[in-house]
Amino acid sequence: RAGWLSKGLMAGVLWLAFGCAFAQNTELIFGQKNSYGIGPRAIGMVGAFTAVADDASAAYWNVAGLAQLSSYELAISSAPVYFTDNVNGRPAFGFPWYGSMQFMIPIAKENTLGISLFRPFHPQYDFYAGNPAYSTGQRSEGSYLLNPSFQESDIVLSYAARFSAVRNFSVGVNIKRLTNDPYYIRYFGTDGNTQTSLNNPVRVIGFGVDVGLLYRIPISKYSEEFRIGLALNDLVSRAQYANGLVINDANAPVNFNVGPGFETQIPPEIVLGIAYKNNYLFSIRNITAFDF
């Protein structure tokens, strides 16, 4: 992912995607990490925010960036979600609402505490596109089950601080309570038993721990600098199916059969970000950022 920022105008420039699909049958809800993200500014930069992370939404992208805040910040954002079923290309629809609320409290110079409520939305997409081993129907059903579109809801406590011994180096930690909206898991397939299973409330409750690092390298006295960010998300994590989930779809290469209280690990995610901040490109203040 890459983004460009100039005088408050954010534009996505390039999307570079590198990822792994975790196909274990116990990771139906949080096994796939794709979401639209949090914060209009970061979303406007197509998520290339790991090395920028200089507002309240840093709690989502790279918690270490919160150490840059010098004053209290209250951020609230919300918007309806409109998208298209990426397997069948069905018309887009609205709801649920992407949303976030964050309150950040600097407690000392370059030390920040924060509490956040995040509601990122996870869209559905086809993990089997181009795989000749499966028929079109198998690919569709498998994609629906491996990655149903769902609404996530997180409560996050954050702390970030700058290392006094190393100038411009900061570290941060998130502790998260993760849940899904039990009534919003959208299934686009045609299997009647699967439709019935997913129409019933599916409740997943879990926790996660994120660690973030940010290093700012000044280049000149005119606010020019190079930035490196590293987000280590869900390094420690667990998710529990509170009421279980049983799906037996003969048309799909993936099936699920987990009882109430079943626990599984949420796959970790590692994001490396680099950014260059200067006042010269296009003769205006700007930041060019890439995430991998």
Side-chain angles (χ1 to χ4, degrees):
R1 296 191 293 270
W4 178 69
L5 161 66
S6 172
K7 288 189 175 179
L9 176 64
M10 282 67 70
V13 176
L14 182 65
W15 181 275
L16 302 176
F18 301 87
C20 298
F22 293 83
Q24 298 180 19
N25 66 352
T26 56
E27 296 169 345
L28 170 64
I29 305 300
F30 290 109
Q32 309 300 341
K33 310 288 282 190
N34 62 302
S35 81
Y36 289 141
I38 288 295
R41 180 164 171 254
I43 293 175
M45 297 180 69
V46 293
F49 209 63
T50 303
V52 181
D54 57 359
D55 62 22
S57 68
Y60 183 87
W61 301 99
N62 182 0
V63 61
L66 295 177
Q68 302 176 90
L69 303 185
S70 58
S71 60
Y72 292 86
E73 282 200 17
L74 173 64
I76 301 174
S77 60
S78 183
V81 174
Y82 295 92
F83 68 97
T84 301
D85 162 17
N86 289 331
V87 174
N88 288 329
R90 297 180 181 178
F93 58 94
F95 292 101
W97 288 71
Y98 136 86
S100 67
M101 181 171 64
Q102 302 129 273
F103 183 46
M104 301 302 163
I105 309 168
I107 56 176
K109 184 177 181 181
E110 295 180 305
N111 284 255
T112 303
L113 284 174
I115 183 169
S116 306
L117 171 62
F118 294 141
R119 284 181 60 80
F121 181 73
H122 294 251
Q124 177 272 330
Y125 61 91
D126 185 359
F127 281 102
Y128 297 101
N131 188 336
Y134 299 115
S135 67
T136 301
Q138 287 177 320
R139 282 177 36 222
S140 298
E141 289 295 316
S143 296
Y144 298 138
L145 299 181
L146 270 180
N147 191 70
S149 57
F150 72 96
Q151 179 77 65
E152 183 180 347
S153 183
D154 306 337
I155 298 175
V156 184
L157 297 177
S158 306
Y159 173 71
R162 182 180 67 87
F163 270 71
S164 58
V166 183
R167 184 184 179 188
N168 295 326
F169 179 72
S170 56
V171 63
V173 178
N174 280 335
I175 299 175
K176 308 182 293 186
R177 180 183 184 273
L178 310 173
T179 61
N180 70 299
D181 185 330
Y183 291 97
Y184 197 85
I185 299 176
R186 184 58 68 107
Y187 169 68
F188 299 101
T190 58
D191 183 78
N193 292 330
T194 301
Q195 186 70 62
T196 300
S197 298
L198 290 178
N199 279 341
N200 296 322
V202 179
R203 189 67 171 173
V204 182
I205 303 172
F207 70 88
V209 176
D210 305 333
V211 175
L213 305 171
L214 181 65
Y215 187 36
R216 301 167 57 188
I217 307 172
I219 299 176
S220 72
K221 64 181 180 180
Y222 302 108
S223 300
E224 186 181 14
E225 64 180 18
F226 182 75
R227 307 162 68 99
I228 303 174
L230 184 66
L232 310 172
N233 298 325
D234 293 314
L235 290 183
V236 180
S237 66
R238 299 294 292 176
Q240 181 185 88
Y241 287 74
N243 54 354
L245 178 64
V246 177
I247 297 177
N248 295 306
D249 187 342
N251 297 319
V254 180
N255 293 308
F256 301 90
N257 190 338
V258 297
F262 182 87
E263 289 191 356
T264 184
Q265 183 183 10
I266 302 173
E269 179 185 60
I270 302 174
V271 184
L272 172 67
I274 58 175
Y276 172 61
K277 177 182 177 183
N278 69 90
N279 295 332
Y280 311 111
L281 187 64
F282 309 116
S283 300
I284 53 177
R285 181 176 179 270
N286 64 90
I287 297 176
T288 302
F290 295 85
D291 272 19
F292 302 92

